[in-house]
Amino acid sequence: MTGESVGIFGSFARAFVLLVTVLQAPSAVAEDGKLTLLYSDLAPYVTASSKGAQGFLADHLEAAAGAAGVQLDWSYMPWENQMPLLRRAPGNVCAAALFDTPARREFLVFTEAIGKDYGMAVVVRKTDDRISGHTSLASLLDDPRLKGVVQVETSYGPFVDPLLEGRDLLVSSGSTPRVLRDLAEGTGDYLVVSGPTVEFLIPQYGLEGQLEILTDLTDMQDDIFFYIGCTITTDAKVLTRLNRELRRMGPVCPDGPCR
């Protein structure tokens, strides 16, 4: 399932209600022991369905929260809407599966690691001969013939983000499946994205014949931990309990225990 799948209209409606509630009462604190957890589609870790969040990361967080006596109120919200909401610092509101970056630390408190992304990748069209010869992301970025694509309000980890800073890139607000289809149809020349995500999505959407994944670029970071990021007004006692269980259980990865 993706942001374009079953139950998406209901998910967007719930996200809108949450946004309006926070805008009307930005200082409100949720009831003790309860965290509103924003999420967006991040296959294969967590995805939206008609029944809410699903995936091995959702199961992992539910288990940790249950052991900690913390209730998670999962709320689907597109990536591009999460950061503006979190900057308003509503009480006890968090977002799942975020990279810990200096910019985000200015308005978020991060939990213990909840999972690991096995590296960033670049997706290109198989028919584009201009890609051959490039062995690094920096080389692609420096090629004036090529236009890279990134997704709005998205971090690509502490190593890749500085490479992208100040670059003239296409910024898409579409879901990852939509951006992949746009790339296949000629919008932009390469997409910077999570490797495990596109390894899952490209065959799911039948794009193997059109797109290929470059995972051997010399300057792309591998094995990046991600976290829950909570607003600075979140109850510290609740986070302490949750962190204790997350530390005990350890982060999860697509192929089982993180190596």
Side-chain angles (χ1 to χ4, degrees):
M1 298 291 181
T2 72
E4 301 169 340
S5 61
V6 176
I8 191 62
F9 295 110
S11 297
F12 272 107
R14 289 190 293 273
F16 178 76
V17 170
L18 175 64
L19 180 61
V20 170
T21 301
V22 170
L23 291 175
Q24 289 177 340
S27 61
V29 177
E31 61 189 80
D32 184 44
K34 181 178 180 180
L35 298 177
T36 295
L37 188 58
L38 309 178
Y39 74 103
S40 187
D41 290 292
L42 184 65
Y45 303 95
V46 59
T47 57
S49 73
S50 59
K51 297 181 180 179
Q54 66 175 20
F56 67 87
L57 182 61
D59 294 340
H60 173 66
L61 294 182
E62 281 291 343
V70 176
Q71 180 183 344
L72 298 181
D73 182 12
W74 293 83
S75 180
Y76 181 90
M77 181 172 286
W79 289 118
E80 63 269 21
N81 295 337
Q82 290 187 18
M83 291 302 132
L85 173 60
L86 293 170
R87 288 188 183 99
R88 295 185 64 88
N92 289 14
V93 176
C94 309
L98 297 182
F99 289 143
D100 179 354
T101 69
R104 290 174 176 177
R105 259 182 257 131
E106 293 179 2
F107 59 96
L108 293 177
V109 176
F110 288 92
T111 64
E112 296 286 332
I114 61 174
K116 183 190 285 187
D117 197 318
Y118 285 158
M120 294 297 104
V122 168
V123 179
V124 300
R125 287 185 297 278
K126 288 185 174 181
T127 56
D128 195 340
D129 295 333
R130 298 171 301 169
I131 301 299
S132 61
H134 289 287
T135 60
S136 68
L137 175 60
S139 177
L140 289 169
L141 291 165
D142 289 337
D143 191 329
R145 304 170 301 166
L146 301 175
K147 178 70 74 171
V149 182
V150 294
Q151 291 173 269
V152 67
E153 291 284 8
T154 298
S155 168
Y156 297 93
F159 189 83
V160 174
D161 283 351
L163 295 177
L164 302 175
E165 188 174 354
R167 299 285 189 166
D168 182 19
L169 300 166
L170 294 176
V171 180
S172 173
S173 61
S175 66
T176 304
R178 177 71 265 170
V179 179
L180 288 170
R181 287 198 291 263
D182 289 345
L183 180 67
E185 294 168 4
T187 300
D189 300 308
Y190 59 91
L191 170 67
V192 183
V193 69
S194 161
T197 295
V198 289
E199 288 171 2
F200 179 85
L201 291 177
I202 286 178
Q204 182 182 21
Y205 286 88
L207 296 171
E208 308 100 309
Q210 298 165 273
L211 301 176
E212 64 179 323
I213 306 169
L214 305 182
T215 58
D216 57 351
L217 299 179
T218 59
D219 52 0
M220 299 290 272
Q221 186 175 6
D222 294 327
D223 296 346
I224 315 167
F225 284 105
F226 53 82
Y227 310 81
I228 295 173
C230 296
T231 58
I232 56 177
T233 56
T234 297
D235 189 332
K237 293 180 180 179
V238 173
L239 289 182
T240 297
R241 299 204 309 266
L242 181 60
N243 275 325
R244 186 182 302 119
E245 293 304 320
L246 290 173
R247 188 164 49 248
R248 180 184 65 82
M249 296 175 66
V252 294
C253 290
D255 55 357
C258 291
R259 56 178 183 260

PDB file of all heavy atoms in Angstrom, residues 28-36 70-71 73 91-92 235 238 241:
ATOM      1  N   ALA A  28      -1.762  22.868  23.326  1.00  0.00           N
ATOM      2  CA  ALA A  28      -2.471  21.809  24.046  1.00  0.00           C
ATOM      3  C   ALA A  28      -1.582  20.592  24.242  1.00  0.00           C
ATOM      4  O   ALA A  28      -0.821  20.220  23.370  1.00  0.00           O
ATOM      5  CB  ALA A  28      -3.715  21.411  23.265  1.00  0.00           C
ATOM      6  N   VAL A  29      -1.688  19.976  25.405  1.00  0.00           N
ATOM      7  CA  VAL A  29      -0.905  18.787  25.717  1.00  0.00           C
ATOM      8  C   VAL A  29      -1.839  17.583  25.752  1.00  0.00           C
ATOM      9  O   VAL A  29      -2.899  17.622  26.361  1.00  0.00           O
ATOM     10  CB  VAL A  29      -0.188  18.943  27.072  1.00  0.00           C
ATOM     11  CG1 VAL A  29       0.561  17.670  27.436  1.00  0.00           C
ATOM     12  CG2 VAL A  29       0.764  20.136  27.036  1.00  0.00           C
ATOM     13  N   ALA A  30      -1.432  16.499  25.088  1.00  0.00           N
ATOM     14  CA  ALA A  30      -2.274  15.307  25.040  1.00  0.00           C
ATOM     15  C   ALA A  30      -2.325  14.649  26.407  1.00  0.00           C
ATOM     16  O   ALA A  30      -1.521  14.935  27.288  1.00  0.00           O
ATOM     17  CB  ALA A  30      -1.728  14.343  24.000  1.00  0.00           C
ATOM     18  N   GLU A  31      -3.269  13.736  26.557  1.00  0.00           N
ATOM     19  CA  GLU A  31      -3.412  13.056  27.839  1.00  0.00           C
ATOM     20  C   GLU A  31      -2.151  12.265  28.154  1.00  0.00           C
ATOM     21  O   GLU A  31      -1.408  11.840  27.272  1.00  0.00           O
ATOM     22  CB  GLU A  31      -4.622  12.132  27.797  1.00  0.00           C
ATOM     23  CG  GLU A  31      -4.520  11.041  26.747  1.00  0.00           C
ATOM     24  CD  GLU A  31      -5.820  10.281  26.568  1.00  0.00           C
ATOM     25  OE1 GLU A  31      -6.708  10.800  25.873  1.00  0.00           O
ATOM     26  OE2 GLU A  31      -5.922   9.181  27.135  1.00  0.00           O
ATOM     27  N   ASP A  32      -1.898  12.085  29.438  1.00  0.00           N
ATOM     28  CA  ASP A  32      -0.678  11.427  29.905  1.00  0.00           C
ATOM     29  C   ASP A  32      -0.544  10.036  29.306  1.00  0.00           C
ATOM     30  O   ASP A  32      -1.501   9.260  29.270  1.00  0.00           O
ATOM     31  CB  ASP A  32      -0.712  11.330  31.430  1.00  0.00           C
ATOM     32  CG  ASP A  32       0.573  10.746  31.981  1.00  0.00           C
ATOM     33  OD1 ASP A  32       1.646  11.152  31.513  1.00  0.00           O
ATOM     34  OD2 ASP A  32       0.488   9.875  32.862  1.00  0.00           O
ATOM     35  N   GLY A  33       0.680   9.729  28.838  1.00  0.00           N
ATOM     36  CA  GLY A  33       0.953   8.398  28.317  1.00  0.00           C
ATOM     37  C   GLY A  33       0.521   8.171  26.893  1.00  0.00           C
ATOM     38  O   GLY A  33       0.568   7.042  26.406  1.00  0.00           O
ATOM     39  N   LYS A  34       0.121   9.219  26.182  1.00  0.00           N
ATOM     40  CA  LYS A  34      -0.337   9.064  24.805  1.00  0.00           C
ATOM     41  C   LYS A  34       0.460   9.979  23.885  1.00  0.00           C
ATOM     42  O   LYS A  34       0.645  11.152  24.169  1.00  0.00           O
ATOM     43  CB  LYS A  34      -1.826   9.392  24.704  1.00  0.00           C
ATOM     44  CG  LYS A  34      -2.405   9.240  23.306  1.00  0.00           C
ATOM     45  CD  LYS A  34      -3.895   9.540  23.304  1.00  0.00           C
ATOM     46  CE  LYS A  34      -4.504   9.405  21.916  1.00  0.00           C
ATOM     47  NZ  LYS A  34      -5.964   9.694  21.922  1.00  0.00           N
ATOM     48  N   LEU A  35       0.930   9.425  22.781  1.00  0.00           N
ATOM     49  CA  LEU A  35       1.667  10.192  21.782  1.00  0.00           C
ATOM     50  C   LEU A  35       0.941  10.110  20.445  1.00  0.00           C
ATOM     51  O   LEU A  35       0.566   9.022  20.014  1.00  0.00           O
ATOM     52  CB  LEU A  35       3.090   9.654  21.600  1.00  0.00           C
ATOM     53  CG  LEU A  35       4.025   9.707  22.804  1.00  0.00           C
ATOM     54  CD1 LEU A  35       5.361   9.068  22.443  1.00  0.00           C
ATOM     55  CD2 LEU A  35       4.234  11.135  23.281  1.00  0.00           C
ATOM     56  N   THR A  36       0.741  11.244  19.809  1.00  0.00           N
ATOM     57  CA  THR A  36       0.277  11.248  18.422  1.00  0.00           C
ATOM     58  C   THR A  36       1.493  11.027  17.535  1.00  0.00           C
ATOM     59  O   THR A  36       2.459  11.783  17.602  1.00  0.00           O
ATOM     60  CB  THR A  36      -0.393  12.587  18.071  1.00  0.00           C
ATOM     61  OG1 THR A  36      -1.573  12.730  18.864  1.00  0.00           O
ATOM     62  CG2 THR A  36      -0.780  12.620  16.596  1.00  0.00           C
ATOM     63  N   VAL A  70       2.804   3.191  26.879  1.00  0.00           N
ATOM     64  CA  VAL A  70       2.556   4.388  26.075  1.00  0.00           C
ATOM     65  C   VAL A  70       1.579   4.036  24.959  1.00  0.00           C
ATOM     66  O   VAL A  70       1.744   3.020  24.278  1.00  0.00           O
ATOM     67  CB  VAL A  70       3.870   4.937  25.461  1.00  0.00           C
ATOM     68  CG1 VAL A  70       3.593   6.125  24.546  1.00  0.00           C
ATOM     69  CG2 VAL A  70       4.844   5.330  26.567  1.00  0.00           C
ATOM     70  N   GLN A  71       0.572   4.852  24.773  1.00  0.00           N
ATOM     71  CA  GLN A  71      -0.398   4.644  23.692  1.00  0.00           C
ATOM     72  C   GLN A  71       0.006   5.471  22.484  1.00  0.00           C
ATOM     73  O   GLN A  71       0.203   6.685  22.592  1.00  0.00           O
ATOM     74  CB  GLN A  71      -1.801   5.046  24.139  1.00  0.00           C
ATOM     75  CG  GLN A  71      -2.857   4.845  23.041  1.00  0.00           C
ATOM     76  CD  GLN A  71      -4.234   5.310  23.477  1.00  0.00           C
ATOM     77  OE1 GLN A  71      -4.487   5.517  24.664  1.00  0.00           O
ATOM     78  NE2 GLN A  71      -5.121   5.485  22.508  1.00  0.00           N
ATOM     79  N   ASP A  73      -1.083   7.005  18.981  1.00  0.00           N
ATOM     80  CA  ASP A  73      -2.213   7.376  18.136  1.00  0.00           C
ATOM     81  C   ASP A  73      -1.660   7.701  16.753  1.00  0.00           C
ATOM     82  O   ASP A  73      -1.215   8.812  16.491  1.00  0.00           O
ATOM     83  CB  ASP A  73      -2.937   8.591  18.735  1.00  0.00           C
ATOM     84  CG  ASP A  73      -4.162   8.991  17.931  1.00  0.00           C
ATOM     85  OD1 ASP A  73      -4.571   8.207  17.050  1.00  0.00           O
ATOM     86  OD2 ASP A  73      -4.694  10.088  18.162  1.00  0.00           O
ATOM     87  N   GLY A  91       1.958  19.796  21.872  1.00  0.00           N
ATOM     88  CA  GLY A  91       2.365  18.847  22.894  1.00  0.00           C
ATOM     89  C   GLY A  91       2.138  17.402  22.508  1.00  0.00           C
ATOM     90  O   GLY A  91       1.101  17.045  21.954  1.00  0.00           O
ATOM     91  N   ASN A  92       3.147  16.555  22.770  1.00  0.00           N
ATOM     92  CA  ASN A  92       3.056  15.104  22.594  1.00  0.00           C
ATOM     93  C   ASN A  92       2.741  14.688  21.163  1.00  0.00           C
ATOM     94  O   ASN A  92       2.015  13.730  20.927  1.00  0.00           O
ATOM     95  CB  ASN A  92       2.015  14.510  23.556  1.00  0.00           C
ATOM     96  CG  ASN A  92       2.494  14.533  25.001  1.00  0.00           C
ATOM     97  OD1 ASN A  92       3.464  15.214  25.326  1.00  0.00           O
ATOM     98  ND2 ASN A  92       1.823  13.808  25.853  1.00  0.00           N
ATOM     99  N   ASP A 235       5.990  15.300  26.631  1.00  0.00           N
ATOM    100  CA  ASP A 235       6.212  14.866  28.010  1.00  0.00           C
ATOM    101  C   ASP A 235       7.497  14.040  28.106  1.00  0.00           C
ATOM    102  O   ASP A 235       7.594  12.944  27.548  1.00  0.00           O
ATOM    103  CB  ASP A 235       5.013  14.033  28.471  1.00  0.00           C
ATOM    104  CG  ASP A 235       5.032  13.712  29.955  1.00  0.00           C
ATOM    105  OD1 ASP A 235       6.130  13.635  30.533  1.00  0.00           O
ATOM    106  OD2 ASP A 235       3.942  13.531  30.520  1.00  0.00           O
ATOM    107  N   VAL A 238       7.175  10.402  29.465  1.00  0.00           N
ATOM    108  CA  VAL A 238       6.674   9.438  28.485  1.00  0.00           C
ATOM    109  C   VAL A 238       7.805   8.997  27.566  1.00  0.00           C
ATOM    110  O   VAL A 238       7.971   7.797  27.272  1.00  0.00           O
ATOM    111  CB  VAL A 238       5.510  10.043  27.672  1.00  0.00           C
ATOM    112  CG1 VAL A 238       5.096   9.105  26.532  1.00  0.00           C
ATOM    113  CG2 VAL A 238       4.320  10.320  28.576  1.00  0.00           C
ATOM    114  N   ARG A 241      10.206   6.515  29.275  1.00  0.00           N
ATOM    115  CA  ARG A 241       9.681   5.145  29.301  1.00  0.00           C
ATOM    116  C   ARG A 241       9.802   4.480  27.934  1.00  0.00           C
ATOM    117  O   ARG A 241      10.207   3.315  27.824  1.00  0.00           O
ATOM    118  CB  ARG A 241       8.219   5.137  29.756  1.00  0.00           C
ATOM    119  CG  ARG A 241       7.977   5.679  31.144  1.00  0.00           C
ATOM    120  CD  ARG A 241       6.690   5.143  31.755  1.00  0.00           C
ATOM    121  NE  ARG A 241       5.535   5.291  30.906  1.00  0.00           N
ATOM    122  CZ  ARG A 241       4.683   6.322  30.952  1.00  0.00           C
ATOM    123  NH1 ARG A 241       4.897   7.329  31.795  1.00  0.00           N
ATOM    124  NH2 ARG A 241       3.614   6.360  30.174  1.00  0.00           N
TER     125      ARG A 241
END
